[in-house]
């Protein structure tokens, strides 16, 4: 079962021009565990993959990223085929234009903040854009720490740099796998403020994994509920709406 709450028709049409369309129709078995998905997302916004630990949220995210190969199905973004089992197509992760933020920041300890950020477009083969670099730095408030070493950063600062680096790798969308899980309540609240601004400020769609209701209610424009052993699918229009659009 999955739940998705839509934008209005006019707003969705405008967002589709910015963020494009992501089609995910896949299945994967890992030992005695299986997961699958059948949904289409369009436009800019934050789409949450919500469910309990062990439900398969990260596996689904990794299939979209190209870190896990599905057993069957296809993944297509804006007409570019990322994966198609029938046609034997598999686009490597570095060529998908996907930015990925993990639970741990995974920054390079031997590089400065600036060089950590600059690594992203080089790795993904994206041409360096000074204007986009400056926009990301400003959005995440990274300017004061560009010359610092990673070892001098706090947990919240490190995760802001990790988000900035992932954004600089993006040409399609941003994946976030429980990026606030290791932070205390104050830092989680602070980071949510930054994350909420990303889609509209940069025109980047976000797939956000979490099992924390507070994060979902504050951040998500739409929600797909992931349940262990069930297919995460496109919802029926009559299904219940949840998330920030439903708050009074």
């Amino acid at each position: 079962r999955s739940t998705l709450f839509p934008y209005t028709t006019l707003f969705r049409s405008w967002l589709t021009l910015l963020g494009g369309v992501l089609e995910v129709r896949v299945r994967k078995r890992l030992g005695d565990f299986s997961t699958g998905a059948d949904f289409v997302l369009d436009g800019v916004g934050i789409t949450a993959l919500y469910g309990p630990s062990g439900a398969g949220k990260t596996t689904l995210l990794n299939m979209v990223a190209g870190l896990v190969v599905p057993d069957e199905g296809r993944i297509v973004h804006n007409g570019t085929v990322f994966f198609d089992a029938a046609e034997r197509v598999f686009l490597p992760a570095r060529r998908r234009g996907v930015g990925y933020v993990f639970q741990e920041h995974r920054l390079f300890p031997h590089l400065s903040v600036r060089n950590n950020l600059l690594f992203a477009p080089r790795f993904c083969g994206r041409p360096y854009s000074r204007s986009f670099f400056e926009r990301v730095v400003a959005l995440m408030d990274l300017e004061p720490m560009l010359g610092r070493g990673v070892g001098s950063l706090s947990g919240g600062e490190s995760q802001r740099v990790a988000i900035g680096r992932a954004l600089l790798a993006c040409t399609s969308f941003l994946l976030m796998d429980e990026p606030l899980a290791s932070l205390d309540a104050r830092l989680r609240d602070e980071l949510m403020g930054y994350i909420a601004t990303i889609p509209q400020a940069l025109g980047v769609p976000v797939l956000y994994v979490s099992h924390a209701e507070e994060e979902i209610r504050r951040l998500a424009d739409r929600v797909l509920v992931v349940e262990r052993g069930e297919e995460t699918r496109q919802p029926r229009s009559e299904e219940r709406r949840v998330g920030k659009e439903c708050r009074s």
Side-chain angles (χ1 to χ4, degrees), residues 12-244:
R12 287 186 69 172
S13 297
W14 176 71
L15 290 176
T16 299
L17 293 174
L18 287 175
V21 178
L22 174 66
E23 173 191 348
V24 180
R25 307 185 192 279
V26 294
R27 292 206 65 81
K28 180 69 178 179
R29 176 172 288 278
L30 296 168
D32 61 353
F33 171 78
S34 65
T35 188
D38 185 352
F39 60 84
V40 178
L41 302 174
D42 59 3
V44 174
I46 297 178
T47 300
L49 298 176
Y50 172 70
S53 296
K57 303 183 299 297
T58 297
T59 299
L60 180 54
L61 207 67
N62 285 341
M63 286 192 281
V64 174
L67 302 179
V68 170
V69 182
D71 294 330
E72 57 185 84
R74 70 197 310 259
I75 301 171
V76 182
H77 179 258
N78 274 3
T80 298
V81 179
F82 287 179
F83 171 78
D84 191 314
E87 299 296 328
R88 296 188 175 184
V89 174
F90 180 80
L91 198 66
R94 67 181 181 278
R95 294 178 55 197
R96 297 190 182 195
V98 174
Y100 204 138
V101 182
F102 300 89
Q103 290 185 29
E104 312 84 18
H105 58 73
R106 301 194 183 186
L107 300 176
F108 299 115
H110 62 292
L111 297 179
S112 67
V113 168
R114 180 187 297 276
N115 286 331
N116 264 280
L117 296 173
L118 291 174
F119 177 83
R122 290 201 299 269
F123 175 77
C124 297
R126 174 178 183 163
Y128 171 72
S129 166
R130 180 174 178 177
S131 62
F132 188 65
F133 180 88
E134 291 175 348
R135 287 172 64 193
V136 170
V137 167
L139 184 69
M140 302 306 299
D141 286 336
L142 302 177
E143 180 68 35
M145 62 183 81
L146 287 177
R148 290 168 58 185
V150 170
S152 70
L153 303 178
S154 68
E157 289 173 334
S158 295
Q159 201 65 334
R160 277 161 51 200
V161 175
I163 294 170
R165 185 175 65 179
L167 285 169
L168 288 165
C170 278
T171 56
S172 54
F173 47 87
L174 179 66
L175 306 178
M176 308 189 83
D177 186 11
E178 302 198 51
L180 310 181
S182 63
L183 303 178
D184 62 30
R186 181 185 65 81
L187 288 176
R188 283 199 303 272
D189 183 71
E190 178 183 304
L191 264 292
M192 278 192 280
Y194 287 102
I195 293 168
T197 66
I198 289 172
Q200 301 306 322
L202 298 177
V204 174
V206 179
L207 272 177
Y208 188 96
V209 163
S210 181
H211 61 264
E213 289 189 15
E214 177 190 2
E215 295 175 28
I216 299 302
R217 292 190 179 279
R218 180 167 171 183
L219 295 174
D221 297 296
R222 39 199 172 177
V223 179
L224 293 172
V225 177
V226 183
E227 298 179 356
R228 185 178 176 87
E230 300 292 330
E231 184 176 81
T232 302
R233 59 179 176 78
Q234 198 78 12
R236 299 185 302 271
S237 60
E238 67 268 21
E239 287 186 301
R240 180 173 57 93
R241 296 182 178 189
V242 296
K244 71 183 184 184

